[in-house]
């Protein structure tokens, strides 16, 4: 497949959402629920969603490949989050249901991060400070060092001396088959990838075992969706519930202008 967009920030959903005055079942401080409507998101329409490439949404943990110490490096996702005092103010603000925008003091409200941390691409900046997203987080990355204990499963898929990574991708001669292969890290530069395997996200793909763990990288946008459904709720629900092709985590559409749109 051609090289598609990277996942640096939260991906907008295919359908617009509606706010219901019922307490959220996901966020304790949120006095409302957000439900999908049947209206296509204008962001998707602006990106020409009807001519976008549908790809499988992979269930793992997001990473990226960019340079560090003069060579291609694997970076793990690390969102900078608010400290306890700022998080409390943020929750109280949402409990009150204010229509105003919450004001952050980025220099004081957020936990410290390692010196090697970098913010995700294209984040909004104000007065030289990267601004948090709607959830109060600042998405970013930290380099995965060779002997890292915290990111040991990340480091298991790369060899910095050989500058290669262990990758799962479509087999070149048959797109319906996947292959595990070794890929030069330079071929993955400035891409985002998903780490999957035995010890990631409860291992939904049943890879390896506790005694013999297996972890792999999957470049975003490389696994095509077979026989994708029409872009309406009825067909999408039917496709996910009834078809063999729909037995996946979700769909990410890659638009020609770089816009990414997802469902589930």
């Amino acid at each position: 497949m051609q090289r598609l967009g990277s996942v640096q920030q939260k991906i907008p959903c295919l359908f617009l959402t509606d706010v219901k005055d019922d307490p959220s079942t996901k966020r304790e401080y949120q006095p409302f629920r957000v439900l999908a409507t049947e209206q296509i998101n204008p962001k998707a329409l602006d990106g020409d969603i009807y001519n976008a490439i549908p790809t499988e949404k992979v269930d793992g943990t997001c990473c990226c490949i960019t340079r560090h110490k003069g060579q291609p490096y694997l970076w793990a996702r690390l969102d900078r989050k608010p400290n306890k005092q700022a998080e409390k103010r943020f929750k109280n603000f949402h409990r009150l249901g204010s229509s105003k925008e919450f004001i952050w003091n980025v220099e004081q409200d957020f936990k410290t991060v390692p010196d090697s941390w970098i913010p995700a691409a294209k984040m909004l900046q104000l007065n030289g400070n990267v601004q948090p997203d709607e959830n109060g987080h600042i998405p970013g990355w930290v380099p995965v060092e060779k002997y890292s204990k915290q990111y040991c499963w990340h480091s298991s898929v790369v060899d910095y001396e050989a500058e290669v990574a262990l990758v799962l991708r479509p087999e070149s001669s048959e797109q319906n088959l996947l292959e595990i292969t070794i890929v030069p890290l330079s071929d993955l530069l400035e891409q985002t990838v998903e780490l999957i395997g035995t010890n990631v996200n409860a291992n939904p793909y049943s890879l390896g075992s506790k005694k013999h763990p297996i972890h792999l990288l999957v470049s975003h946008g490389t696994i095509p969706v077979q026989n994708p459904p029409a872009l309406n709720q009825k067909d999408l629900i039917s496709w996910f519930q009834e078809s063999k092709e729909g037995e996946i985590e979700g769909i990410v559409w890659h638009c020609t202008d770089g816009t990414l749109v997802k469902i589930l």
Side-chain angles (χ1 to χ4, degrees):
M1 290 187 70
Q2 67 188 85
R3 180 169 175 173
L4 302 178
S6 65
V7 180
Q8 293 281 344
Q9 302 174 33
K10 186 176 180 181
I11 301 175
C13 293
L14 174 63
F15 296 107
L16 286 180
T17 55
D18 190 22
V19 178
K20 299 294 184 181
D21 291 329
D22 299 315
S24 172
T25 57
K26 294 183 178 180
R27 298 184 176 91
E28 60 177 346
Y29 59 86
Q30 188 171 289
F32 55 88
R33 288 194 301 155
V34 180
L35 303 174
T37 69
E38 295 186 6
Q39 185 177 353
I40 300 289
N41 193 325
K43 293 180 180 178
L45 295 175
D46 290 343
D48 193 15
I49 185 70
Y50 291 103
N51 290 303
I53 299 174
T55 68
E56 182 173 338
K57 183 175 181 286
V58 182
D59 190 2
T61 184
C62 191
C63 312
C64 79
I65 311 292
T66 192
R67 290 193 175 277
H68 180 60
K69 299 180 180 179
Q71 68 176 91
Y73 237 74
L74 178 66
W75 294 61
R77 190 59 167 260
L78 179 65
D79 288 2
R80 192 177 181 193
K81 299 179 180 180
N83 55 41
K84 289 184 178 179
Q85 294 82 0
E87 184 177 20
K88 185 177 180 180
R89 286 193 293 109
F90 187 56
K91 288 182 177 180
N92 287 337
F93 177 83
H94 283 286
R95 282 197 185 99
L96 295 173
S98 175
S99 60
K100 297 181 180 179
E101 183 178 355
F102 184 82
I103 304 299
W104 293 100
N105 184 330
V106 177
E107 295 180 348
Q108 298 180 7
D109 287 343
F110 286 82
K111 297 176 183 178
T112 58
V113 288
D115 291 339
S116 57
W117 180 88
I118 59 173
K122 299 181 181 180
M123 290 294 294
L124 176 66
Q125 294 201 22
L126 184 63
N127 298 324
N129 291 315
V130 180
Q131 299 300 297
D133 60 20
E134 60 188 34
N135 297 314
H137 295 176
I138 304 176
W141 313 98
V142 288
V144 174
E145 299 297 349
K146 182 177 180 179
Y147 297 110
S148 170
K149 292 183 178 179
Q150 182 177 3
Y151 299 110
C152 59
W153 306 121
H154 291 67
S155 64
S156 71
V157 299
V158 291
D159 183 330
Y160 291 133
E161 283 73 26
E163 297 192 8
V164 295
L166 192 61
V167 170
L168 177 70
R169 67 183 185 185
E171 206 275 329
S172 57
S173 62
E174 179 53 70
Q175 288 291 303
N176 291 327
L177 298 179
L178 299 176
E179 65 176 359
I180 297 173
T181 187
I182 294 174
V183 173
L185 280 167
S186 58
D187 288 358
L188 304 173
L189 261 178
E190 308 313 325
Q191 294 186 38
T192 55
V193 296
E194 201 81 2
L195 175 69
I196 61 173
T198 311
N199 297 288
V200 178
N201 273 11
N203 194 18
Y205 304 110
S206 300
L207 295 172
S209 64
K210 185 175 181 180
K211 188 175 182 180
H212 300 289
I214 296 175
H215 297 87
L216 308 163
L217 295 179
V218 183
S219 292
H220 289 140
T222 55
I223 301 180
V225 168
Q226 304 296 327
N227 302 315
L231 300 182
N232 63 73
Q233 277 200 11
K234 181 180 178 181
D235 286 346
L236 281 162
I237 291 172
S238 175
W239 187 81
F240 278 112
Q241 292 181 344
E242 300 173 10
S243 73
K244 183 67 176 178
E245 294 86 353
E247 296 176 357
I248 58 176
E249 167 72 8
I251 300 175
V252 177
W253 287 269
H254 292 251
C255 301
T256 55
D257 67 351
T259 298
L260 301 181
V261 181
K262 72 175 182 179
I263 191 165
L264 299 184

